[in-house]
Amino acid sequence: MIQESIKKLAEYGVQKGLIDECERVYAINQILEVMDEDEYTDPKVDLKDIRLEEILGDLLDEAVKKGLIEDSIVYRDLFDTKIMNCLMPRPAEVQRKFKEEYEISPEKATEYFYDLSRNSNYIRVDRVAKDMKWTCDTEYGTLDITINLSKPEKDPKAIAAAKNAKQSSYPKCLLCMENEGYRGRVNHPARQNHRIIPVTINDSGWGFQYSPYVYYNEHCIVFNGEHTPMKIEKATFIKLFDFVKAFPHYFLGSNADLPIVGGSILSHDHFQGGHYTFAMERADFVKKFTVKGFEDVNAGIVKWPLSVIRLQCKDEKRIIELADHILTAWRGYTDEAAYIYAETDGEPHNTITPIARKRGDLFELDLTLRNNITTPENPLGLYHPHEKLHHIKKENIGLIEVMGLAVLPARLKGELELLAEYIVDGKDICSNEDLKKHADWVDEFLPGYDKVDRDNIMDILKEETGKVFCRVLEDAGVYKQNEEGLKAFDRFIVTL
């Protein structure tokens, strides 16, 4: 069994272009070493319809039997990454091939790199495919809704091992260059099958890679070569456009640089981008305006639940200058009537989530105004999902959500399925500890449906979940999309 799996894995490597035919024997010997095997008989096996997930599963089962690893998702992930390293081209070869493809076109280069990241199992395609995905039509456009199932749950034994493991500061975080080829440990994922493309933006060294969890097509991460904190400044806009100029088929955006409204990793300067059109990009202007001295830049407020200023111009340098002017103004802006405070007790509150892209012959920059002030009624943030919506989403609203894609917690899959059963069977939702947080929500939307049965209940729950996400985004908006909110927005625009 083990020999058949090794032969299939080597064939997979050849078929996917991870190794050349002349490297087959070498790769087999590398896998034999990882599996602690001395013999190989070149067995006869069917090499059609090879499935990587099945091959790795068989090899992992054998590794457990041989006592090479514990039967735990954490140890299995560490070990199958070590196995895949036997098929991986060296970083220099990946960079050479990327450069070669880039000379044909940027699209060819990213297509090659994305395929490599998928075929190497760095992006675990089988897990990503398990994510629940659907859309929800709203007044702002069609939002993308996902329930993230691709991050595996750690078992108690692995959690205990991670707690007791020797603490290490290498690599300093998940975004550092030093992750490339790292073997991993119980509290840090293995990255032997991970490759990074060096890129130069704003005359400094950065890395380009794909997210292992790909929430959308070609979801990439561009990160500083140095472990330095996130900071939104003029240089941020320069960096975003430097990348977009090099890869005009990709957008690139940054999380905000303050807690609550920022991303999950504020300690390492990075951006996220990809080859995908979000609802935010499709949204049109609700009002246009002109800033004195920047008459050549098309500017306006976007019809979007968050507060977005869109700038367009053929010359990205003009956009950068105006964006810096807006950022500086927003950092110091206070409007007590709208409950916007630049700072309280010396703590800054105002920042921006920027997204850059190319639209035809125009460069475009969306500036999402953010504020992380808290109140006694909203201790997690006034411009953050309010408590009433926490049964669906209470995590920070980062870049991806800002653009209109919900990344909802894995718990919701089971909760929605069980909730469907309770609703159809007429059971008391409050009697279930995991479901009672949804009871008020169900009471609110259920009367609006004439027919509710087993055939349509999941569609109803998905639709209503999408509506909740839309309200989550509205909560995160500093200025609401109503008469009062737009008037307050205008008061800021006038200061420009």
Side-chain angles (χ1 to χ4, degrees):
M1 180 67 173
I2 192 169
Q3 304 236 336
E4 286 88 341
S5 297
I6 291 173
K7 183 169 185 176
K8 285 181 180 179
L9 187 58
E11 175 64 20
Y12 171 87
V14 172
Q15 287 183 12
K16 297 297 185 181
L18 297 173
I19 58 173
D20 288 334
E21 178 59 45
C22 66
E23 298 172 310
R24 186 189 294 268
V25 172
Y26 175 84
I28 287 172
N29 285 330
Q30 293 294 301
I31 302 167
L32 287 170
E33 179 183 355
V34 172
M35 294 301 299
D36 196 27
E37 291 284 309
D38 295 322
E39 300 290 334
Y40 183 71
T41 58
D42 193 21
K44 289 185 177 181
V45 294
D46 184 2
L47 296 178
K48 295 177 183 177
D49 193 28
I50 294 177
R51 299 179 184 276
L52 181 62
E53 182 183 5
E54 293 177 3
I55 300 168
L56 291 177
D58 291 340
L59 289 173
L60 289 169
D61 290 343
E62 291 292 336
V64 172
K65 289 178 187 176
K66 290 163 67 77
L68 299 177
I69 58 170
E70 292 185 38
D71 192 12
S72 153
I73 187 67
V74 171
Y75 294 102
R76 289 171 77 96
D77 279 2
L78 290 169
F79 198 77
D80 71 7
T81 306
K82 186 177 183 180
I83 293 172
M84 288 305 297
N85 188 42
C86 299
L87 304 178
M88 289 300 296
R90 303 280 282 193
E93 170 60 19
V94 174
Q95 292 172 28
R96 183 196 64 77
K97 178 68 172 175
F98 185 88
K99 186 177 180 181
E100 197 177 87
E101 295 292 328
Y102 188 87
E103 289 174 359
I104 300 172
S105 73
E107 290 90 344
K108 281 285 186 185
T110 54
E111 181 182 339
Y112 155 71
F113 190 37
Y114 190 57
D115 285 345
L116 173 73
S117 300
R118 288 164 58 90
N119 293 334
S120 66
N121 208 42
Y122 164 70
I123 296 173
R124 295 179 180 267
V125 178
D126 58 305
R127 290 185 186 165
V128 173
K130 295 174 183 176
D131 288 350
M132 289 178 64
K133 298 180 179 182
W134 68 94
T135 60
C136 178
D137 293 333
T138 74
E139 63 175 296
Y140 307 103
T142 302
L143 303 179
D144 294 301
I145 314 297
T146 68
I147 294 179
N148 175 32
L149 303 171
S150 55
K151 289 185 180 180
E153 298 288 336
K154 292 182 180 179
D155 60 82
K157 188 181 292 186
I159 292 172
K163 185 179 180 181
N164 297 325
K166 180 183 176 182
Q167 293 302 305
S168 171
S169 58
Y170 182 87
K172 289 180 180 176
C173 78
L174 293 170
L175 293 178
C176 284
M177 288 283 191
E178 290 77 14
N179 281 281
E180 187 176 40
Y182 185 61
R183 70 173 184 171
R185 52 186 190 268
V186 289
N187 55 3
H188 193 105
R191 289 290 184 253
Q192 290 109 316
N193 57 353
H194 175 41
R195 296 294 178 263
I196 297 168
I197 301 296
V199 293
T200 300
I201 56 177
N202 198 27
D203 300 322
S204 58
W206 285 57
F208 168 47
Q209 66 179 54
Y210 287 102
S211 165
Y213 303 111
V214 287
Y215 293 131
Y216 50 85
N217 186 48
E218 297 180 44
H219 177 184
C220 71
I221 300 172
V222 181
F223 58 98
N224 199 314
E226 302 294 328
H227 184 76
T228 185
M230 296 278 292
K231 186 178 182 183
I232 302 297
E233 57 186 347
K234 183 179 181 179
T236 303
F237 309 135
I238 296 172
K239 293 167 188 172
L240 292 177
F241 279 120
D242 275 359
F243 183 84
V244 169
K245 283 188 290 184
F247 301 94
H249 60 301
Y250 273 23
F251 76 88
L252 194 68
S254 175
N255 269 305
D257 55 356
L258 293 178
I260 297 177
V261 295
S264 56
I265 302 179
L266 294 178
S267 61
H268 196 129
D269 197 12
H270 71 285
F271 308 132
Q272 295 183 77
H275 196 190
Y276 190 73
T277 302
F278 287 87
M280 182 191 203
E281 182 181 343
R282 294 191 294 267
D284 205 351
F285 291 106
V286 69
K287 180 180 181 179
K288 292 188 176 183
F289 60 86
T290 302
V291 178
K292 187 178 179 181
F294 295 93
E295 288 80 6
D296 55 329
V297 179
N298 189 27
I301 298 170
V302 179
K303 173 69 173 177
W304 193 243
L306 285 97
S307 309
V308 180
I309 294 173
R310 177 167 294 164
L311 308 178
Q312 298 172 326
C313 188
K314 288 184 178 181
D315 182 357
E316 86 285 355
K317 294 182 179 65
R318 294 292 291 158
I319 294 178
I320 290 167
E321 291 298 327
L322 179 51
D324 183 45
H325 173 60
I326 293 171
L327 173 63
T328 302
W330 179 246
R331 289 278 196 201
Y333 183 74
T334 291
D335 181 351
E336 294 184 6
Y339 211 89
I340 296 167
Y341 293 87
E343 57 88 20
T344 54
D345 299 325
E347 179 189 350
H349 295 305
N350 291 347
T351 185
I352 279 176
T353 300
I355 303 106
R357 64 180 77 89
K358 190 87 185 289
R359 192 192 292 263
D361 62 348
L362 292 176
F363 288 100
E364 185 171 277
L365 183 66
D366 284 349
L367 302 173
T368 309
L369 307 182
R370 312 298 301 274
N371 180 288
N372 75 346
I373 197 167
T374 60
T375 66
E377 298 77 24
N378 296 285
L380 297 182
L382 177 60
Y383 306 110
H384 177 87
H386 290 179
E387 187 175 3
K388 184 181 179 182
L389 309 179
H390 287 181
H391 65 104
I392 296 293
K393 174 79 173 178
K394 70 175 181 179
E395 297 79 11
N396 291 355
I397 302 304
L399 173 67
I400 295 172
E401 285 94 354
V402 164
M403 295 185 291
L405 189 154
V407 181
L408 302 179
R411 63 172 172 82
L412 278 177
K413 180 180 184 293
E415 289 178 10
L416 292 181
E417 289 172 350
L418 188 57
L419 192 58
E421 178 187 317
Y422 268 62
I423 291 172
V424 171
D425 292 343
K427 296 180 182 177
D428 179 12
I429 294 171
C430 290
S431 67
N432 185 291
E433 194 64 31
D434 292 330
L435 297 184
K436 65 182 183 181
K437 59 179 171 286
H438 298 299
D440 289 344
W441 173 52
V442 173
D443 288 342
E444 186 180 296
F445 74 72
L446 205 58
Y449 292 89
D450 295 329
K451 180 185 177 186
V452 178
D453 56 31
R454 294 190 189 280
D455 293 332
N456 70 356
I457 184 58
M458 279 309 297
D459 289 336
I460 290 172
L461 287 173
K462 286 180 177 180
E463 175 70 14
E464 294 299 327
T465 299
K467 290 178 181 178
V468 170
F469 177 62
C470 185
R471 287 158 62 190
V472 160
L473 295 184
E474 289 175 334
D475 281 352
V478 177
Y479 298 114
K480 310 310 176 188
Q481 284 282 341
N482 54 36
E483 185 178 355
E484 183 182 358
L486 291 174
K487 280 183 178 178
F489 208 151
D490 281 341
R491 292 200 294 272
F492 171 65
I493 300 298
V494 168
T495 68
L496 300 176

